[in-house]
Amino acid sequence: MPAPIKPQQVHLYMQTKQSGSSQETAAAKAGISTRTAHRIDSGTHRPQRGRPHDWKTREDPLDGLWELELEPMLEREPRLEATTLFETLQENHPGQYDDKIRTVQRRTAKWKAAHGKPKEVMFKIQHHPGEMGQSDFAQLKGFSVTVQGEAFHHILYHYRLSYSGWQYVQVIQGGESFIGLSQGLQNALTACGGVPKIHRTDSLSAAYRNTGGRNPQLTQLYSTLCDHYRMQPTRNNLGVSHENGGIEGSHGYFKRRLCQALYRRGSFDFDSVAEYQQFIEQVIAKLNAKCQKKFALELPTLQPLPRYRTPDYEVRSAKVSCNSTIAVRCVLYTVPSRLIGHRLKLHLYHDRLVGFLGTTPVVELARVHVHGSEKKRRARSIDYKHVAESLRRKPNAFLYCQWQSELLPNLQWHQLWESLKANFEQDQAARLITEALYIAATQDQESQVADYLQTQLEQSTLTLSRLKQAFEFKLSTEQYPDVTSQQHDLSDYDQLLHSRPGQPIPVADDNPKTVAVEAFPRRVAEHRASSDSGELVLRPVSVGFSSRRSQPSGAESDFTRSNRSAAALRKVLDQF
């Protein structure tokens, strides 16, 4: 009996025949006869002749319990899993089938493939250039980033063009707020250089009022943002994240690339948030370089950017208290004391807070966010530079101030304060620390002042006068350069005084020289011009005062005024 033809031989024959070989050559290479090759070409070849292999080659390890007990359970409830069926088998037959879990899993998977419910199909979506951009927020899990050694709580805003895959990522402090969405989206559109027709997100509370129903309403701020950039806002169904798969799938890939870049860097700590943002942009630049060709095709199809950005901040108002503080979103901030009593208009960004008096910005503060894991939802942001002047005048207020711990800039200053309390009396220690804070604030020498205090404490030579003398601010003479001026000739003005009407004024010399002016030999009172009417005659007159409050008659009033004028003039002339 000839050996059966294997499917691999048929596949090799077809490949060789399609490459241009003859039927005989292809049959010889596949190891079959030309007769079999002819049947394959005519479509009459039957690869399985005889009875199909439908019999078992070994005994049933479950002893027929699959058909009797487990399969009926699946027919009643197809959502049962293999683990549940195996546990049922163990309960009904203890100790007999403890090693048959793989058999139950294989038969369950086979039954569900043949009789189970249809599964959800993921369809491949065709994207068109310039049609859609997607946004979402992502959190880093599995590793943490620190800034200057302290844990940095943040999320990442992620934007991606659906067609080309061009991406943008920005660090956002705080939660998934509209401020973070607005600033991240506008920065992404600016970096991209164009605007897609559709902007898709998930059910962000910053963009949608998720109050239930099929048609959730847009928030007013998000609707204004989309209208400004001429984008149609869309969202996926609630809880169905794969509908926004163009951005959800790239989250994991980007976070893995970022984690690998941090491993390669050798440190997860950064000196500032700006340095961390720059590091992320370097990672994104490498990812965007892979899709540069498709992005070059998509860029001309994007809508142009508007001439200006829409506000990406929240407007608030707060009055500066007598404590030189304002309260914003359960956080107490200090501001410069010159603003006490004024009402500030505040622009709240995700990372900073800007205060205005009218349209003039007067203060900018780093915004503080209270992390959700903390028990208290309140915080303080105290800057000693804002109140250093008042602390210097009221040193004892530092002893009992509720913000004493926050007024000290860092751990070194806290240690210095403990040393001052141990080496000096309480009042004297307060005067020293407040004077040191004042010098550090006004001269911007925080670390230098702290080092000086540390050295003087070690040498036991610290006094208030020494501290003031060490940092006495001396003006440099180079700040006031010598200015020399040349006096022009004053005789030119004499030509103006003695010129007659209609007579032309001579042209002044281009190179005037200073001429010494002689002292006037005569008294001013004796000099009379030729146009004067004559010599002034002074006569003594009697002065009368009326006891009545009513105004005097016209003659008496004129007489009194003339007498007062003569007396005043006499006093002036007697001075010469």
Side-chain angles (χ1 to χ4, degrees), residues 154-166:
H154 68 288
I155 59 177
L156 297 176
Y157 168 79
H158 195 178
Y159 173 84
R160 186 174 184 270
L161 290 174
S162 301
Y163 174 76
S164 63
W166 184 91

Side-chain angles (χ1 to χ4, degrees), residues 311-570:
D312 52 0
Y313 52 81
E314 181 183 356
V315 179
R316 289 268 175 165
S317 177
K319 186 176 181 179
V320 183
S321 68
C322 61
N323 308 123
S324 191
T325 59
I326 56 175
V328 182
R329 292 291 183 88
C330 298
V331 179
L332 190 71
Y333 298 87
T334 57
V335 297
S337 57
R338 63 179 179 274
L339 300 175
I340 291 178
H342 292 280
R343 179 166 291 277
L344 302 181
K345 182 174 69 173
L346 305 174
H347 289 182
L348 272 66
Y349 298 86
H350 75 96
D351 58 345
R352 67 189 188 279
L353 183 152
V354 183
F356 292 81
L357 272 180
T359 58
T360 304
V362 292
V363 63
E364 182 172 344
L365 307 171
R367 187 172 177 183
V368 176
H369 297 275
V370 182
H371 195 256
S373 61
E374 298 182 10
K375 296 181 179 180
K376 295 183 178 180
R377 297 296 298 170
R378 295 184 177 275
R380 288 196 293 248
S381 176
I382 307 299
D383 190 349
Y384 72 95
K385 297 179 181 179
H386 295 155
V387 294
E389 181 72 29
S390 297
L391 275 179
R392 186 194 191 193
R393 295 196 302 265
K394 304 176 181 179
N396 286 343
F398 179 81
L399 297 174
Y400 309 103
C401 183
Q402 296 179 357
W403 319 327
Q404 184 187 99
S405 179
E406 289 93 338
L407 284 171
L408 299 173
N410 49 44
L411 179 61
Q412 184 182 11
W413 282 83
H414 281 271
Q415 295 174 351
L416 288 172
W417 172 236
E418 295 298 327
S419 300
L420 288 173
K421 289 191 296 183
N423 292 277
F424 297 91
E425 294 183 358
Q426 193 175 32
D427 294 347
Q428 189 176 1
R431 285 195 295 269
L432 286 170
I433 195 67
T434 54
E435 183 68 25
L437 288 173
Y438 174 77
I439 295 173
T442 54
Q443 300 188 20
D444 195 18
Q445 299 186 31
E446 182 178 302
S447 60
Q448 292 87 337
V449 174
D451 294 339
Y452 176 81
L453 291 177
Q454 184 68 36
T455 304
Q456 294 296 315
L457 283 172
E458 293 175 356
Q459 299 176 359
S460 300
T461 57
L462 178 62
T463 61
L464 186 62
S465 59
R466 283 177 177 270
L467 177 62
K468 293 180 179 180
Q469 292 175 2
F471 294 93
E472 184 178 1
F473 186 74
K474 298 181 180 180
L475 294 175
S476 176
T477 56
E478 298 180 356
Q479 296 180 354
Y480 301 96
D482 295 334
V483 179
T484 57
S485 60
Q486 184 178 5
Q487 179 64 47
H488 62 277
D489 191 0
L490 299 177
S491 61
D492 295 338
Y493 292 100
D494 295 337
Q495 300 175 8
L496 296 175
L497 295 174
H498 297 87
S499 61
R500 298 179 179 178
Q503 181 180 358
I505 300 175
V507 180
D509 189 3
D510 294 336
N511 298 318
K513 298 181 180 179
T514 303
V515 179
V517 181
E518 298 179 358
F520 202 77
R522 292 177 295 177
R523 299 172 64 181
V524 176
E526 298 175 357
H527 176 64
R528 308 293 296 180
S530 59
S531 60
D532 292 341
S533 59
E535 185 176 348
L536 180 63
V537 179
L538 302 178
R539 293 181 297 175
V541 294
S542 59
V543 180
F545 297 89
S546 174
S547 60
R548 295 177 298 175
R549 292 187 178 183
S550 59
Q551 295 293 336
S553 60
E556 184 180 0
S557 178
D558 293 342
F559 176 77
T560 305
R561 284 198 298 269
S562 63
N563 184 27
R564 293 176 182 173
S565 300
L569 183 58
R570 187 183 301 109

